[in-house]
Amino acid sequence: MARITAIELQDFEKIISRNCFYEDKTRFIKEWWENGDDITLLTRPRRSGKTLMLSVLEYFFSIKYTGKAGLFAHLAIWEEEEYRKLQGTYPVISLSFANIKEHYFENAKAKIGLMIANLYAEHYFLLDSGKLTEPDRIFFSKSIRRYG
């Protein structure tokens, strides 16, 4: 059976679970991880897969998707034993402006603030995780009050 090419789909799990055509770019995970860069800028033209690549990274690393290893089982990254151990092991903050399409600055600012508030709410567990320094805990708490 021929695979469907999903034109507007940017969610990695949906693409894999619906058996849509996906060009395997998971080797990027290894390359990016091993570079150890402080900052990575994904520069590609419009409509070339930046949001999808971020979705792949989130599904691979995020603790929110622990147990979703099957999504990667047939892809290049899964050939690397050490990378299998990384799947679902980190809190990931993913922020995309792909859906911020406002004509006025104040409306865009409000939508971005709502996105940030949702991220704080989603990662609230970090306050009690023992992973944050005291200054980070204070900043997180102040930010929750500001955005939440």
Side-chain angles (χ1 to χ4, degrees), residues 3-132:
R3 289 186 172 180
I4 297 168
T5 302
I7 304 295
E8 291 293 322
L9 205 49
Q10 298 175 333
D11 182 275
F12 177 67
E13 181 177 33
K14 288 180 182 176
I15 288 173
I16 298 301
S17 66
R18 294 177 186 175
N19 200 28
C20 296
F21 175 77
Y22 172 72
E23 182 180 343
D24 185 2
K25 295 186 178 187
T26 59
R27 282 185 173 81
F28 172 78
I29 296 170
K30 179 182 179 187
E31 178 185 326
W32 175 74
W33 187 260
E34 290 178 0
N35 277 343
D37 296 331
D38 289 339
I39 297 170
T40 301
L41 178 62
L42 296 176
T43 56
R44 295 182 183 159
R46 252 183 112 234
R47 315 282 317 139
S48 62
K50 295 180 295 291
T51 302
L52 176 57
M53 189 69 238
L54 291 175
S55 178
V56 171
L57 287 169
E58 184 173 7
Y59 274 98
F60 188 78
F61 286 109
S62 180
I63 58 176
K64 183 168 53 174
Y65 302 114
T66 300
K68 297 275 187 176
L71 295 173
F72 297 93
H74 63 287
L75 300 173
I77 193 65
W78 217 245
E79 296 169 6
E80 306 279 341
E81 179 68 35
E82 66 184 280
Y83 286 91
R84 291 183 199 172
K85 296 173 187 170
L86 290 175
Q87 197 280 319
T89 57
Y90 288 92
V92 172
I93 296 171
S94 179
L95 187 63
S96 171
F97 297 106
N99 293 322
I100 307 285
K101 294 177 172 64
E102 298 296 324
H103 295 292
Y104 300 101
F105 172 76
E106 289 303 319
N107 294 349
K109 183 179 169 185
K111 277 194 169 180
I112 292 168
L114 182 60
M115 284 179 12
I116 293 170
N118 289 336
L119 285 169
Y120 274 105
E122 183 179 330
H123 293 86
Y124 192 80
F125 69 92
L126 288 172
L127 277 175
D128 298 322
S129 70
K131 304 272 184 194
L132 300 177

